[in-house]
mmCIF file of all heavy atoms in Angstrom:
data_model
loop_
_atom_site.group_PDB
_atom_site.id
_atom_site.type_symbol
_atom_site.label_atom_id
_atom_site.label_comp_id
_atom_site.label_asym_id
_atom_site.label_seq_id
_atom_site.Cartn_x
_atom_site.Cartn_y
_atom_site.Cartn_z
ATOM 1 N N GLY T 33 67.633 91.131 -107.786
ATOM 2 C CA GLY T 33 67.277 91.770 -106.560
ATOM 3 C C GLY T 33 68.390 92.657 -106.061
ATOM 4 O O GLY T 33 69.249 93.050 -106.983
ATOM 5 N N PRO T 34 68.486 93.081 -104.886
ATOM 6 C CA PRO T 34 69.674 93.945 -104.402
ATOM 7 C C PRO T 34 70.999 93.112 -104.745
ATOM 8 O O PRO T 34 71.006 91.910 -104.678
ATOM 9 C CB PRO T 34 69.450 93.984 -102.887
ATOM 10 C CG PRO T 34 67.930 93.850 -102.788
ATOM 11 C CD PRO T 34 67.555 92.748 -103.745
ATOM 12 N N ALA T 35 71.972 93.863 -104.974
ATOM 13 C CA ALA T 35 73.250 93.221 -105.222
ATOM 14 C C ALA T 35 74.376 94.030 -104.602
ATOM 15 O O ALA T 35 74.373 95.144 -104.203
ATOM 16 C CB ALA T 35 73.594 93.495 -106.851
ATOM 17 N N THR T 36 75.536 93.303 -104.264
ATOM 18 C CA THR T 36 76.732 93.792 -103.630
ATOM 19 C C THR T 36 77.606 94.494 -104.715
ATOM 20 O O THR T 36 77.505 94.122 -105.882
ATOM 21 C CB THR T 36 77.436 92.828 -102.829
ATOM 22 O OG1 THR T 36 77.888 91.741 -103.722
ATOM 23 C CG2 THR T 36 76.449 92.232 -101.697
ATOM 24 N N ILE T 37 78.571 95.189 -104.203
ATOM 25 C CA ILE T 37 79.607 95.591 -105.242
ATOM 26 C C ILE T 37 80.407 94.406 -105.832
ATOM 27 O O ILE T 37 80.702 94.464 -107.098
ATOM 28 C CB ILE T 37 80.624 96.479 -104.497
ATOM 29 C CG1 ILE T 37 80.012 97.920 -104.039
ATOM 30 C CG2 ILE T 37 81.791 96.844 -105.373
ATOM 31 C CD1 ILE T 37 80.846 98.818 -103.367
ATOM 32 N N ALA T 38 80.778 93.430 -105.105
ATOM 33 C CA ALA T 38 81.401 92.243 -105.676
ATOM 34 C C ALA T 38 80.478 91.685 -106.687
ATOM 35 O O ALA T 38 81.013 91.183 -107.724
ATOM 36 C CB ALA T 38 81.651 91.146 -104.568
ATOM 37 N N GLU T 39 79.244 91.416 -106.593
ATOM 38 C CA GLU T 39 78.314 90.864 -107.622
ATOM 39 C C GLU T 39 78.269 91.844 -108.782
ATOM 40 O O GLU T 39 78.146 91.281 -110.086
ATOM 41 C CB GLU T 39 76.925 90.652 -107.021
ATOM 42 C CG GLU T 39 76.955 89.563 -105.899
ATOM 43 C CD GLU T 39 75.552 89.604 -105.147
ATOM 44 O OE1 GLU T 39 74.846 90.615 -105.183
ATOM 45 O OE2 GLU T 39 75.345 88.478 -104.520
ATOM 46 N N LEU T 40 78.182 93.190 -108.598
ATOM 47 C CA LEU T 40 78.222 93.936 -109.761
ATOM 48 C C LEU T 40 79.583 93.968 -110.539
ATOM 49 O O LEU T 40 79.628 93.976 -111.748
ATOM 50 C CB LEU T 40 77.835 95.516 -109.299
ATOM 51 C CG LEU T 40 76.469 95.699 -108.849
ATOM 52 C CD1 LEU T 40 76.237 96.961 -108.255
ATOM 53 C CD2 LEU T 40 75.445 95.482 -109.977
ATOM 54 N N THR T 41 80.607 93.837 -109.769
ATOM 55 C CA THR T 41 81.881 93.805 -110.375
ATOM 56 C C THR T 41 82.078 92.432 -111.288
ATOM 57 O O THR T 41 82.645 92.616 -112.394
ATOM 58 C CB THR T 41 83.115 93.733 -109.318
ATOM 59 O OG1 THR T 41 82.897 95.001 -108.643
ATOM 60 C CG2 THR T 41 84.273 93.791 -110.014
ATOM 61 N N ALA T 42 81.467 91.390 -110.827
ATOM 62 C CA ALA T 42 81.499 90.213 -111.568
ATOM 63 C C ALA T 42 80.774 90.322 -112.931
ATOM 64 O O ALA T 42 81.030 89.713 -113.871
ATOM 65 C CB ALA T 42 80.900 88.993 -110.750
ATOM 66 N N VAL T 43 79.748 91.101 -112.879
ATOM 67 C CA VAL T 43 78.974 91.260 -114.135
ATOM 68 C C VAL T 43 79.549 92.315 -114.984
ATOM 69 O O VAL T 43 79.593 92.149 -116.299
ATOM 70 C CB VAL T 43 77.547 91.774 -113.803
ATOM 71 C CG1 VAL T 43 76.720 92.213 -115.023
ATOM 72 C CG2 VAL T 43 76.664 90.751 -112.998
ATOM 73 N N LEU T 44 79.989 93.454 -114.479
ATOM 74 C CA LEU T 44 80.585 94.561 -115.302
ATOM 75 C C LEU T 44 82.069 94.500 -115.634
ATOM 76 O O LEU T 44 82.565 95.192 -116.566
ATOM 77 C CB LEU T 44 80.100 95.883 -114.620
ATOM 78 C CG LEU T 44 78.736 96.156 -114.462
ATOM 79 C CD1 LEU T 44 78.484 97.342 -113.497
ATOM 80 C CD2 LEU T 44 78.148 96.461 -115.778
ATOM 81 N N GLY T 45 82.839 93.761 -114.736
ATOM 82 C CA GLY T 45 84.272 93.811 -114.807
ATOM 83 C C GLY T 45 84.818 95.161 -114.186
ATOM 84 O O GLY T 45 84.107 95.890 -113.665
ATOM 85 N N GLY T 46 86.071 95.386 -114.426
ATOM 86 C CA GLY T 46 86.728 96.576 -113.836
ATOM 87 C C GLY T 46 87.028 96.366 -112.406
ATOM 88 O O GLY T 46 87.029 95.228 -111.851
ATOM 89 N N HIS T 47 87.379 97.591 -111.770
ATOM 90 C CA HIS T 47 87.758 97.535 -110.340
ATOM 91 C C HIS T 47 86.567 97.882 -109.426
ATOM 92 O O HIS T 47 85.833 98.767 -109.799
ATOM 93 C CB HIS T 47 88.852 98.555 -110.153
ATOM 94 C CG HIS T 47 89.654 98.355 -108.909
ATOM 95 N ND1 HIS T 47 89.208 98.757 -107.657
ATOM 96 C CD2 HIS T 47 90.806 97.849 -108.653
ATOM 97 C CE1 HIS T 47 90.024 98.447 -106.770
ATOM 98 N NE2 HIS T 47 91.059 97.857 -107.258
ATOM 99 N N PRO T 48 86.526 97.261 -108.275
ATOM 100 C CA PRO T 48 85.377 97.387 -107.411
ATOM 101 C C PRO T 48 85.333 98.932 -107.048
ATOM 102 O O PRO T 48 84.197 99.500 -106.769
ATOM 103 C CB PRO T 48 85.744 96.535 -106.153
ATOM 104 C CG PRO T 48 86.549 95.445 -106.927
ATOM 105 C CD PRO T 48 87.285 95.981 -107.974
ATOM 106 N N ASN T 49 86.327 99.588 -106.779
ATOM 107 C CA ASN T 49 86.440 100.964 -106.328
ATOM 108 C C ASN T 49 85.742 101.995 -107.308
ATOM 109 O O ASN T 49 85.082 102.876 -106.986
ATOM 110 C CB ASN T 49 87.877 101.449 -106.015
ATOM 111 C CG ASN T 49 88.405 100.890 -104.694
ATOM 112 O OD1 ASN T 49 87.550 100.314 -103.890
ATOM 113 N ND2 ASN T 49 89.655 100.891 -104.566
ATOM 114 N N SER T 50 85.964 101.502 -108.696
ATOM 115 C CA SER T 50 85.376 102.409 -109.718
ATOM 116 C C SER T 50 83.774 102.199 -109.649
ATOM 117 O O SER T 50 83.036 103.187 -109.784
ATOM 118 C CB SER T 50 85.770 101.983 -111.149
ATOM 119 O OG SER T 50 87.152 102.128 -111.217
ATOM 120 N N ILE T 51 83.293 101.029 -109.447
ATOM 121 C CA ILE T 51 81.820 100.811 -109.347
ATOM 122 C C ILE T 51 81.385 101.421 -108.031
ATOM 123 O O ILE T 51 80.303 102.021 -108.095
ATOM 124 C CB ILE T 51 81.575 99.201 -109.346
ATOM 125 C CG1 ILE T 51 81.972 98.729 -110.767
ATOM 126 C CG2 ILE T 51 80.167 98.924 -108.980
ATOM 127 C CD1 ILE T 51 81.845 97.210 -110.907
ATOM 128 N N ARG T 52 82.119 101.394 -106.988
ATOM 129 C CA ARG T 52 81.640 102.110 -105.766
ATOM 130 C C ARG T 52 81.505 103.564 -105.998
ATOM 131 O O ARG T 52 80.423 103.991 -105.452
ATOM 132 C CB ARG T 52 82.649 101.861 -104.668
ATOM 133 C CG ARG T 52 82.252 102.390 -103.286
ATOM 134 C CD ARG T 52 83.449 102.240 -102.292
ATOM 135 N NE ARG T 52 83.779 100.862 -102.029
ATOM 136 C CZ ARG T 52 83.139 100.058 -101.283
ATOM 137 N NH1 ARG T 52 82.143 100.441 -100.610
ATOM 138 N NH2 ARG T 52 83.585 98.869 -101.021
ATOM 139 N N VAL T 53 82.373 104.140 -106.679
ATOM 140 C CA VAL T 53 82.287 105.707 -106.972
ATOM 141 C C VAL T 53 80.942 105.946 -107.694
ATOM 142 O O VAL T 53 80.230 106.872 -107.317
ATOM 143 C CB VAL T 53 83.486 106.084 -107.757
ATOM 144 C CG1 VAL T 53 83.168 107.516 -108.263
ATOM 145 C CG2 VAL T 53 84.742 106.105 -106.811
ATOM 146 N N GLN T 54 80.679 105.101 -108.696
ATOM 147 C CA GLN T 54 79.399 105.390 -109.506
ATOM 148 C C GLN T 54 78.186 105.127 -108.643
ATOM 149 O O GLN T 54 77.160 105.821 -108.667
ATOM 150 C CB GLN T 54 79.493 104.463 -110.709
ATOM 151 C CG GLN T 54 80.521 104.560 -111.547
ATOM 152 C CD GLN T 54 80.791 106.059 -112.122
ATOM 153 O OE1 GLN T 54 79.920 106.899 -112.302
ATOM 154 N NE2 GLN T 54 82.008 106.418 -112.250
ATOM 155 N N LEU T 55 78.246 104.090 -107.744
ATOM 156 C CA LEU T 55 77.102 103.776 -106.966
ATOM 157 C C LEU T 55 76.833 104.973 -105.955
ATOM 158 O O LEU T 55 75.745 105.299 -105.612
ATOM 159 C CB LEU T 55 77.325 102.431 -106.073
ATOM 160 C CG LEU T 55 77.232 101.144 -106.936
ATOM 161 C CD1 LEU T 55 77.751 100.017 -106.102
ATOM 162 C CD2 LEU T 55 75.842 100.928 -107.237
ATOM 163 N N ASP T 56 77.832 105.453 -105.526
ATOM 164 C CA ASP T 56 77.843 106.673 -104.540
ATOM 165 C C ASP T 56 77.075 107.795 -105.304
ATOM 166 O O ASP T 56 76.310 108.440 -104.748
ATOM 167 C CB ASP T 56 79.113 107.184 -104.176
ATOM 168 C CG ASP T 56 79.676 106.283 -103.037
ATOM 169 O OD1 ASP T 56 79.150 105.385 -102.452
ATOM 170 O OD2 ASP T 56 81.012 106.412 -102.852
ATOM 171 N N HIS T 57 77.407 108.112 -106.593
ATOM 172 C CA HIS T 57 76.743 109.078 -107.262
ATOM 173 C C HIS T 57 75.215 108.732 -107.506
ATOM 174 O O HIS T 57 74.388 109.602 -107.383
ATOM 175 C CB HIS T 57 77.310 109.171 -108.661
ATOM 176 C CG HIS T 57 78.645 109.830 -108.646
ATOM 177 N ND1 HIS T 57 79.140 110.809 -107.863
ATOM 178 C CD2 HIS T 57 79.905 109.498 -109.445
ATOM 179 C CE1 HIS T 57 80.430 111.063 -107.993
ATOM 180 N NE2 HIS T 57 80.848 110.326 -108.984
ATOM 181 N N LEU T 58 74.886 107.544 -107.800
ATOM 182 C CA LEU T 58 73.506 107.036 -107.944
ATOM 183 C C LEU T 58 72.728 107.132 -106.669
ATOM 184 O O LEU T 58 71.566 107.412 -106.672
ATOM 185 C CB LEU T 58 73.519 105.561 -108.486
ATOM 186 C CG LEU T 58 74.160 105.433 -110.009
ATOM 187 C CD1 LEU T 58 74.378 104.032 -110.241
ATOM 188 C CD2 LEU T 58 73.290 106.012 -111.075
ATOM 189 N N VAL T 59 73.389 106.682 -105.601
ATOM 190 C CA VAL T 59 72.537 106.807 -104.283
ATOM 191 C C VAL T 59 72.359 108.307 -104.025
ATOM 192 O O VAL T 59 71.159 108.695 -103.535
ATOM 193 C CB VAL T 59 73.485 106.265 -103.183
ATOM 194 C CG1 VAL T 59 72.933 106.702 -101.825
ATOM 195 C CG2 VAL T 59 73.575 104.781 -103.387
ATOM 196 N N GLU T 60 73.334 109.154 -104.268
ATOM 197 C CA GLU T 60 73.090 110.655 -103.989
ATOM 198 C C GLU T 60 71.988 111.211 -104.870
ATOM 199 O O GLU T 60 71.230 112.005 -104.372
ATOM 200 C CB GLU T 60 74.337 111.537 -104.246
ATOM 201 C CG GLU T 60 74.239 112.885 -103.949
ATOM 202 C CD GLU T 60 75.630 113.696 -104.219
ATOM 203 O OE1 GLU T 60 76.642 112.902 -104.590
ATOM 204 O OE2 GLU T 60 75.663 114.895 -103.844
ATOM 205 N N ALA T 61 71.865 110.673 -106.113
ATOM 206 C CA ALA T 61 70.861 111.297 -107.115
ATOM 207 C C ALA T 61 69.494 110.647 -106.681
ATOM 208 O O ALA T 61 68.455 111.090 -107.436
ATOM 209 C CB ALA T 61 71.344 110.996 -108.543
ATOM 210 N N GLY T 62 69.414 109.601 -105.998
ATOM 211 C CA GLY T 62 68.173 108.943 -105.670
ATOM 212 C C GLY T 62 67.742 107.887 -106.518
ATOM 213 O O GLY T 62 66.605 107.318 -106.568
#
Side-chain angles (χ1 to χ4, degrees):
T36 63
I37 290 177
E39 291 169 337
L40 289 171
T41 303
V43 172
L44 295 169
H47 197 280
N49 286 346
S50 298
I51 292 177
R52 184 187 299 277
V53 168
Q54 303 306 327
L55 285 168
D56 288 342
H57 292 323
L58 293 168
V59 170
E60 184 178 0

